[in-house]
Amino acid sequence: MILRNKLTILVLLICTNTLLAQENKVEKANKDFENYSFSPAIDIFKKVADEGYKSVELYQRMADANYFKGDLTLALPWYEKLYNSDKNMAPEYYFRYAHALKASGDIVEARKVMEEFVRTKPTDNRSLILISNQNYLNKIEKNSNRYTISLLRENTTESDYGVAFYKDKVVFASARDTGVVSRSIHKWDNEPFTDLYIASLKVDGQFTVTKKFSKAINTKFHESTPAFSPDGRTVYFTRNNYIGNKRKRDVEGLTRLKIYRATLNNDNEWGEIFEMPFNSDAYSCAHPTLNSRGDKMYFASDMPGTIGASDIFEVAIRHDGSVGIPKNLGREINTEGRETFPFISENNILYFSSDGLPGLGGLDVFAAKIDSDSTFSFVENVGRPINSPMDDFNYIININSKLGYFSSNRIGGKGGDDIYTLQELAPLSTVETTAIVIIVKDIDSDQVIANAVVSLKDLENIEIKSSSTDTDGSAKFKEIPLKQYFAKVNKEGYGTNEKIVNAFAKEQIVYLEKDVYKASLGEDLGRILKLSPILFDTNKWDIRGDAGFEIAKVIAAMTVHPKLKIAIRSHTDNRGSSELNMNLSEKRAQSTMTFMVSKGIAQERLTAKGYGETEPIRPCAEGTCTDEELQKNRRSEFIIVE
């Protein structure tokens, strides 16, 4: 990973102490794989992990918790552990593992894992997109060959990137004479530094007369990606959290990125440097761009509310210099991956880079037309030669001359990141419409469900169309723009389900699950936490390793909820005498309680009782049950009593 990656990812290493600030993401993660009724899953499983327990489920939960926070680099080792431990890994984990690998730069292995995802879950929306590669590749091919590009001669062996237009010149970022070679380092305070440079332009777009931009703006830390107001007297730029000769860090000791503003004084010197009010020491904001009127800024951030590793936000810039509240552009633009380096052309097209949308590899450049109501008419991959198997980003263009620039770390450059000129030869293709079919099924029986109401909404949650399913369980939608939607499905007796659907996958299934009642007194905590049964070996009552892991989850839940009281109920199979089984189950119940007390749970919050063979899960006449069925009867349960 090179310099540009460090400035693009916008901090994946989010401290668990900031977890409550990321509560929406954690809740989304929990909703995707389980609906916990207690404290967010991350709190419980973090406590379990700290105790040193190991299991497939622990790897799943820790990986998912970090994945849905957007900490893909933190998720990767847990997915690796899961991949190496579980040969029957659920399809969803192949998909998430592939994304984590892609974020780490291991594109080849990511593609292999994604193929396993398609193989194991061929009807999933994402699989349908990948299976329909012919159409997807044709779309990219249709948009390809609309540019000529050329490697900028001004590039150095260091990183050069982040070009912005400034009057009749350009300003860009470079590490050329900072004395630090671009390198892959995981700590923010050890990154290579860049400064801003200004250059005049030749007719062909090549740079000339290059010099440092401003002594007042350049510091010993990072400066990059400037954006200028229409009158050229205000500049917004990215810098490390450093101002007034003071460097600030977050609770992890990391120096984040912030957006700063400077103004040009009467002596044509840049001064009055202030940080934007939406910045924070706890997250990064970077890569600003302004619309043609200068009244709206777009930027990338991993602030709370971000969908993926980094999202694109917009914020109003008022005439008096004050700013509004940043707004996430939503799922029409942002994904669970990285969206970054936005640019707004004068004809109101948003160009940005993403590794979450289908592309040619790494970060690809995409274009989205911003309509008058701030929605997006289309999101298109701009195609080759702008995009490549490597990272391509920081696209800008002058709509009059059709001349612009982009940055890439592709093979054939001079350094890590290099600047390329571009000349647009033809505009993007127009938006298309299509028809899709949503099929609704019962998740347990796989039977189709008639008379279910399907609402098709855009990614801002505005309803586009609504329909009811026919006797074959299908709801049909015609002449809709070719993009992503939410399909929200309701049916009496079932829980509501909402799923992102892609209009270029013609037929998609949404599953409904029957309503389940909420937890109450007498409920088994194991059902609420979806525990695996607490199992015991034959004629034994000591706590096995897998049992210890399950009990640790109950302990974590009781630690989070100090008023919770539990009745431990232990059971045996029917082998042996009833008297011996009752005695054995009592020992198992007491052993479980002793274990929990040893881990810090007050004994007055627990009761323990053995039930012998009197309440089997699987009633077994002598010799009629398998060893596996018998083991299911040898269990402990945790009943809520208060």
Side-chain angles (χ1 to χ4, degrees):
M1 188 181 295
I2 54 180
L3 171 61
R4 180 256 324 115
N5 286 333
K6 302 304 294 177
L7 294 177
T8 300
I9 294 178
L10 298 174
V11 189
L12 294 178
L13 300 176
I14 299 173
C15 174
T16 53
N17 288 337
T18 64
L19 183 60
L20 292 179
Q22 302 293 333
E23 188 175 0
N24 289 338
K25 291 183 185 177
V26 176
E27 288 178 354
K28 178 184 182 301
N30 291 338
K31 183 178 179 181
D32 281 349
F33 67 84
E34 282 181 8
N35 181 18
Y36 285 91
S37 300
F38 280 65
S39 203
I42 186 69
D43 293 330
I44 295 175
F45 287 98
K46 178 64 169 59
K47 291 177 182 293
V48 174
D50 288 344
E51 291 293 322
Y53 292 99
K54 299 178 181 180
S55 79
V56 165
E57 185 182 5
L58 177 61
Y59 300 153
Q60 291 173 347
R61 297 300 186 256
M62 288 301 296
D64 281 348
N66 286 295
Y67 178 90
F68 285 105
K69 284 199 306 172
D71 286 339
L72 300 187
T73 55
L74 293 181
L76 180 57
W78 295 101
Y79 283 130
E80 288 176 342
K81 291 176 185 291
L82 177 62
Y83 185 76
N84 293 325
S85 302
D86 186 3
K87 299 306 178 184
N88 296 312
M89 192 164 69
E92 190 66 23
Y93 295 110
Y94 288 112
F95 182 83
R96 296 172 192 167
Y97 181 31
H99 271 269
L101 285 165
K102 189 175 182 182
S104 75
D106 195 345
I107 303 301
V108 173
E109 188 64 23
R111 287 173 177 169
K112 292 179 182 178
V113 174
M114 190 62 80
E115 289 174 1
E116 294 188 69
F117 170 74
V118 173
R119 176 182 56 81
T120 55
K121 204 170 185 182
T123 61
D124 188 279
N125 285 344
R126 294 157 294 182
S127 295
L128 291 172
I129 297 172
L130 295 170
I131 292 170
S132 303
N133 261 347
Q134 186 62 42
N135 179 54
Y136 153 62
L137 293 175
N138 284 345
K139 288 282 293 181
I140 291 182
E141 191 62 28
K142 184 177 180 180
N143 290 330
S144 292
N145 302 314
R146 299 181 301 105
Y147 296 90
T148 58
I149 67 171
S150 177
L151 180 66
L152 191 74
R153 291 190 292 273
E154 183 69 20
N155 285 306
T156 66
T157 56
E158 314 304 333
S159 282
D160 303 282
Y161 69 101
V163 182
F165 295 119
Y166 176 50
K167 298 181 178 179
D168 60 347
K169 296 178 172 59
V170 290
V171 179
F172 65 99
S174 177
R176 58 187 56 197
D177 59 5
T178 61
V180 181
V181 178
S182 179
R183 61 196 185 277
S184 176
I185 295 177
H186 292 289
K187 294 182 179 179
W188 283 92
D189 55 349
N190 286 330
E191 289 178 345
F193 302 136
T194 60
D195 280 338
L196 293 180
Y197 290 77
I198 186 170
S200 297
L201 296 177
K202 295 182 179 181
V203 175
D204 61 357
Q206 294 290 328
F207 296 177
T208 184
V209 193
T210 300
K211 59 183 181 181
K212 286 197 173 183
F213 177 60
S214 167
K215 291 182 179 179
I217 289 178
N218 286 332
T219 66
K220 60 183 178 180
F221 294 103
H222 292 298
E223 284 80 33
S224 68
T225 50
F228 295 90
S229 62
D231 63 5
R233 301 195 63 83
T234 302
V235 61
Y236 302 88
F237 60 95
T238 304
R239 180 197 280 173
N240 282 118
N241 189 356
Y242 178 83
I243 192 169
N245 294 320
K246 293 183 179 180
R247 179 184 184 185
K248 297 182 180 180
R249 306 171 188 263
D250 67 5
V251 293
E252 283 287 318
L254 303 177
T255 300
R256 305 286 179 165
L257 297 175
K258 289 187 174 183
I259 296 174
Y260 293 84
R261 181 185 66 196
T263 55
L264 201 61
N265 61 30
N266 293 332
D267 296 325
N268 282 328
E269 296 291 339
W270 293 103
E272 298 185 20
I273 300 175
F274 299 99
E275 67 170 271
M276 299 302 287
F278 49 76
N279 288 325
S280 171
D281 295 344
Y283 55 78
S284 287
C285 296
H287 315 317
T289 188
L290 298 175
N291 63 0
S292 60
R293 297 185 303 275
D295 61 2
K296 188 172 290 187
M297 176 189 291
Y298 295 79
F299 64 96
S301 180
D302 63 347
M303 66 173 59
T306 304
I307 297 168
S310 63
D311 284 1
I312 297 175
F313 291 77
E314 67 176 16
V315 64
I317 305 292
R318 304 187 183 101
H319 293 301
D320 61 1
S322 63
V323 302
I325 298 174
K327 175 187 176 184
N328 190 301
L329 291 190
R331 291 183 176 273
E332 285 188 273
I333 300 297
N334 295 315
T335 71
E336 287 79 11
R338 293 178 294 168
E339 280 70 44
T340 186
F341 286 99
F343 170 75
I344 303 293
S345 66
E346 291 187 13
N347 57 344
N348 222 28
I349 294 179
L350 168 66
Y351 293 91
F352 64 100
S353 289
S354 172
D355 64 2
L357 296 170
L360 298 178
L363 289 168
D364 271 21
V365 176
F366 292 81
K369 180 70 170 69
I370 306 176
D371 293 330
S372 58
D373 60 356
S374 296
T375 61
F376 300 94
S377 296
F378 61 85
V379 178
E380 296 276 357
N381 187 302
V382 302
R384 299 177 293 102
I386 301 298
N387 291 324
S388 73
M390 303 299 286
D391 284 332
D392 309 293
F393 57 100
N394 189 219
Y395 175 107
I396 68 170
I397 191 170
N398 181 309
I399 63 169
N400 295 317
S401 66
K402 305 299 182 182
L403 178 70
Y405 301 90
F406 73 100
S407 303
S408 180
N409 67 337
R410 65 184 63 187
I411 296 172
K414 289 186 178 181
D417 297 321
D418 290 298
I419 300 169
Y420 291 77
T421 66
L422 64 86
Q423 183 75 48
E424 187 182 54
L425 306 177
L428 278 169
S429 59
T430 58
V431 67
E432 300 176 14
T433 62
T434 188
I436 62 172
V437 176
I438 306 297
I439 298 175
V440 182
K441 290 187 175 183
D442 185 300
I443 194 171
D444 296 317
S445 67
D446 202 42
Q447 297 297 309
V448 297
I449 300 175
N451 299 317
V453 177
V454 181
S455 298
L456 204 62
K457 301 182 177 183
D458 65 20
L459 298 188
E460 296 300 322
N461 208 35
I462 298 174
E463 186 174 294
I464 304 300
K465 292 186 177 182
S466 180
S467 181
S468 296
T469 55
D470 295 330
T471 54
D472 62 356
S474 67
K476 301 175 179 63
F477 298 91
K478 299 179 179 179
E479 296 183 356
I480 61 171
L482 198 60
K483 59 182 183 180
Q484 287 186 322
Y485 299 91
F486 282 125
K488 184 175 182 179
V489 183
N490 292 282
K491 170 70 174 179
E492 186 177 354
Y494 288 85
T496 299
N497 192 13
E498 192 169 68
K499 179 180 181 180
I500 293 181
V501 297
N502 298 283
F504 45 86
K506 304 299 183 184
E507 186 174 285
Q508 296 168 80
I509 299 174
V510 178
Y511 286 97
L512 294 184
E513 186 174 12
K514 289 186 171 64
D515 280 332
V516 295
Y517 53 90
K518 295 182 178 180
S520 60
L521 296 183
E523 283 278 354
D524 183 1
L525 184 60
R527 187 196 68 82
I528 299 168
L529 294 178
K530 299 193 183 297
L531 263 59
S532 298
I534 307 301
L535 303 176
F536 295 89
D537 292 324
T538 305
N539 294 324
K540 298 248 180 107
W541 55 85
D542 54 319
I543 303 299
R544 303 189 333 189
D546 55 354
F549 170 67
E550 299 301 326
I551 297 171
K553 290 185 282 186
V554 178
I555 293 169
M558 295 187 72
T559 302
V560 173
H561 294 271
K563 294 184 179 181
L564 188 64
K565 293 185 179 181
I566 297 296
I568 302 166
R569 301 173 54 161
S570 292
H571 307 264
T572 69
D573 59 38
N574 65 345
R575 292 181 296 184
S577 69
S578 298
E579 183 179 354
L580 288 175
N581 285 335
M582 188 63 72
N583 183 51
L584 179 61
S585 67
E586 184 65 27
K587 290 180 178 178
R588 288 175 176 173
Q590 296 299 324
S591 176
T592 301
M593 183 169 67
T594 299
F595 179 83
M596 296 178 69
V597 170
S598 73
K599 298 298 182 179
I601 301 300
Q603 186 162 344
E604 58 266 23
R605 299 176 61 193
L606 301 169
T607 60
K609 182 178 179 180
Y611 287 81
E613 61 187 71
T614 61
E615 296 184 1
I617 292 177
R618 171 71 162 85
C620 298
E622 187 174 353
T624 62
C625 282
T626 65
D627 289 341
E628 182 180 2
E629 289 171 325
L630 289 169
Q631 189 176 61
K632 288 182 178 180
N633 289 337
R634 301 190 298 270
R635 70 197 190 278
S636 283
E637 300 166 326
F638 302 87
I639 307 302
I640 299 171
V641 296
E642 185 176 328

